């Protein structure tokens, strides 16, 4: 693993961030898009964000690491860690950490990581 900047991956990460922001605002009333598509895309966003700054030799390990990270965050939601840390509803920390555990989210993360695994060998 070597620190390096890759503008191509950074542009992809910014584009996906834009899509995520659209999903969170414009499409927030469409549950399937916000709840499932957005969660699948967030792991892809994290993948491109990491690759923007780090040269990774084994991309499948990165994909597994991102999946594990997403599952850990979901587990933190199950235990209500955002509230425990004192984040108020609507605060940035509360939004980033989340507050609602869902097995569907974990499945969406797995779908996003499977997509990456199949397309980025």
């Amino acid at each position: 693993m070597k620190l390096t900047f890759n503008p191509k991956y950074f542009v992809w990460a910014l584009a996906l961030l834009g899509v995520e922001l659209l999903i969170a605002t414009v499409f927030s009333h469409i549950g399937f898009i916000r709840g499932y598509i957005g969660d699948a895309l967030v792991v892809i966003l994290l993948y491109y964000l990491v690759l923007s700054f780090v040269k990774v030799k084994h991309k499948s390990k990165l994909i597994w690491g991102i999946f594990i990270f997403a599952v850990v965050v979901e587990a933190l939601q199950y235990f209500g860690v955002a509230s425990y840390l004192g984040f108020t509803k609507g605060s940035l920390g509360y939004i980033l950490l989340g507050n609602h555990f869902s097995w569907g989210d974990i499945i969406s993360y797995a779908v996003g990581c499977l997509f990456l695994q199949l397309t980025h060998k």
Side-chain angles (χ1 to χ4, degrees):
M1 194 163 47
K2 179 182 174 186
L3 289 178
T4 181
F5 180 70
N6 187 317
K8 178 181 84 169
Y9 288 134
F10 189 69
V11 168
W12 275 106
L14 288 177
L16 285 166
L17 179 61
V19 171
E20 288 286 358
L21 291 172
L22 280 174
I23 289 172
T25 56
V26 177
F27 299 108
S28 64
H29 63 284
I30 304 172
F32 179 79
I33 292 175
R34 181 170 171 99
Y36 298 105
I37 304 296
D39 286 342
L41 289 177
V42 78
V43 293
I44 298 170
L45 166 62
L46 289 173
Y47 176 80
Y48 282 119
L49 188 61
V50 170
L51 289 180
S52 296
F53 299 101
V54 179
K55 188 170 185 169
V56 176
K57 188 174 183 179
H58 302 288
K59 291 183 180 171
S60 62
K61 288 182 181 180
L62 173 60
I63 294 167
W64 272 106
I66 289 171
F67 178 71
I68 291 167
F69 173 78
V71 171
V72 166
V73 170
E74 200 68 25
L76 294 174
Q77 292 174 6
Y78 177 80
F79 292 109
V81 171
S83 296
Y84 178 75
L85 292 174
F87 294 127
T88 58
K89 189 172 184 176
S91 68
L92 182 61
Y94 193 85
I95 291 167
L96 290 176
L97 190 54
N99 64 334
H100 178 72
F101 173 84
S102 170
W103 287 106
D105 291 352
I106 293 174
I107 292 169
S108 295
Y109 303 145
V111 168
C113 288
L114 179 63
F115 173 80
L116 286 171
Q117 191 68 47
L118 294 173
T119 59
H120 292 97
K121 295 185 179 197

